[in-house]
Amino acid sequence: RVSRHGRLRDVEKTLKKGFSACWTDRSGEPPAQSKRRATLYVVGQLMKIYFKLNLLKLAQPLIRPVEAAAKTGAARLDARGHFPQADLVLYRFFVGRLRMFEDAYEEAEAHLAYAFAHCDAASRNNKRAILEFLVAVRLRRGCLPKPRLLEKYSLEALGPLVHAVKAGDLRTFNSTLSENRRQFVTRGTFLLLEQASTLTYRTLFKKVYLLAGGGAQVRLSLLQRALKACGEDIEAGEVECVLANLIFKGYVKGYISHQKATLVLSKKDPFPTAAFRH
């Protein structure tokens, strides 16, 4: 009896032959009749298989010639191009997901944003699937979706995370991530969503800074007590590590005075507002 893995590999071999036949078509037919028109459909089906089998490295040989042709103008990857819109949306959705796993987040966001914007409005499930990844990519850089958008596409599990990032509610952020861990891991967004904790720390520390009077210096002990109140009972050294990461990423402007156990902040925009966008 052939296993599911074996069946998928058999289908993959057949589709790869189809990809080669489509991409190398030299019949001279107009774009609308050329076999090349089916290329992205075949690539999309192969990408589905590679994601199911966790063989993402096999996707690059498919994407490379398509992207190269797009750069030279030999094949357009937009609505006025050579490919059906539905196939283009599917292609850009999977390339966006692939770029996510490669930590190429700007490229991932561009592909996913295109896919979401051009997906047929009647294809609600498809738009929901695209949005789930798009929100995760954008959340890590502080671009927060409107609550009504999450409600529209039944992504309520992401709502508390978004609110927690905005409010600096570390307890809610951690509990929501824990409660929905299996769902997020299955979808492939867990590690990406987890990265948004950096922005949650930033907002929490800004609140401490304001409550302390908004001065140029904040004692690390105050930040440590705030973290403890949120369920993170960590040592002073770990607080410094969190702060160092925030400073390195540009979410906090200042430096740590180890001698005085103090965070010394810039007088101008110590917690850059550019970290959050809507």
Side-chain angles (χ1 to χ4, degrees):
R1 186 179 178 181
V2 181
S3 66
R4 180 172 179 269
H5 184 280
R7 290 197 299 272
L8 287 174
R9 289 309 300 263
D10 288 341
V11 173
E12 181 239 358
K13 290 176 183 177
T14 302
L15 285 172
K16 284 182 73 173
K17 292 177 181 177
F19 170 77
S20 180
C22 292
W23 188 246
T24 58
D25 179 38
R26 300 290 186 270
S27 64
E29 296 285 344
Q33 283 82 45
S34 171
K35 291 179 182 178
R36 266 202 169 199
R37 187 170 169 78
T39 300
L40 293 191
Y41 173 81
V42 176
V43 172
Q45 303 312 307
L46 281 166
M47 294 278 273
K48 283 183 184 178
I49 292 173
Y50 293 146
F51 270 93
K52 287 180 179 178
L53 298 179
N54 195 27
L55 294 172
L56 302 187
K57 63 181 180 181
L58 297 181
Q60 285 299 347
L62 302 175
I63 296 172
R64 199 174 295 118
V66 176
E67 298 292 328
K71 288 180 180 178
T72 62
R76 297 186 61 131
L77 295 180
D78 58 33
R80 299 184 301 277
H82 303 109
F83 307 105
Q85 183 69 6
D87 297 346
L88 183 54
V89 166
L90 182 66
Y91 171 80
R92 297 198 66 163
F93 168 64
F94 278 117
V95 174
R97 287 184 61 188
L98 185 64
R99 297 295 179 247
M100 273 177 48
F101 286 105
E102 296 171 346
D103 297 336
Y105 298 119
E106 287 188 18
E107 283 188 60
E109 183 176 342
H111 282 290
L112 292 168
Y114 181 97
F116 184 73
H118 293 84
C119 183
D120 190 334
S123 302
R124 178 183 169 81
N125 289 338
N126 291 340
K127 287 187 78 76
R128 182 186 185 278
I130 298 168
L131 184 63
E132 189 172 7
F133 291 100
L134 182 58
V135 168
V137 171
R138 286 180 167 172
L139 188 61
R140 66 172 295 278
R141 67 175 179 85
C143 186
L144 310 180
K146 299 292 185 182
R148 63 176 176 270
L149 182 65
L150 299 179
E151 292 171 6
K152 180 178 179 180
Y153 290 100
S154 304
L155 292 172
E156 290 86 355
L158 293 173
L161 278 180
V162 172
H163 174 75
V165 170
K166 186 176 182 180
D169 186 350
L170 202 57
R171 185 184 295 276
T172 297
F173 182 90
N174 290 333
S175 63
T176 302
L177 206 59
S178 178
E179 290 166 8
N180 297 279
R181 182 186 181 95
R182 177 169 299 199
Q183 175 188 335
F184 295 151
V185 168
T186 300
R187 295 296 295 153
T189 58
F190 179 81
L191 294 178
L192 201 56
L193 292 170
E194 192 177 39
Q195 291 182 35
S197 64
T198 305
L199 286 169
T200 314
Y201 282 114
R202 175 255 184 210
T203 308
L204 175 63
F205 289 170
K206 182 179 180 180
K207 285 187 171 183
V208 174
Y209 154 77
L210 293 173
L211 289 171
Q217 298 185 9
V218 179
R219 295 196 312 276
L220 297 187
S221 59
L222 288 178
L223 302 178
Q224 188 176 13
R225 282 160 57 188
L227 289 170
K228 186 174 182 179
C230 290
E232 292 205 5
D233 191 5
I234 62 178
E235 299 295 326
E238 293 176 272
V239 176
E240 290 190 17
C241 287
V242 173
L243 274 174
N245 187 42
L246 290 171
I247 292 169
F248 174 75
K249 292 186 175 181
Y251 295 145
V252 174
K253 291 166 67 176
Y255 65 90
I256 301 169
S257 172
H258 301 286
Q259 185 177 6
K260 296 182 179 180
T262 300
L263 170 64
V264 182
L265 292 161
S266 169
K267 293 181 179 179
K268 183 179 179 182
D269 198 16
F271 295 87
T273 53
F276 285 94
R277 302 172 189 171
H278 290 272

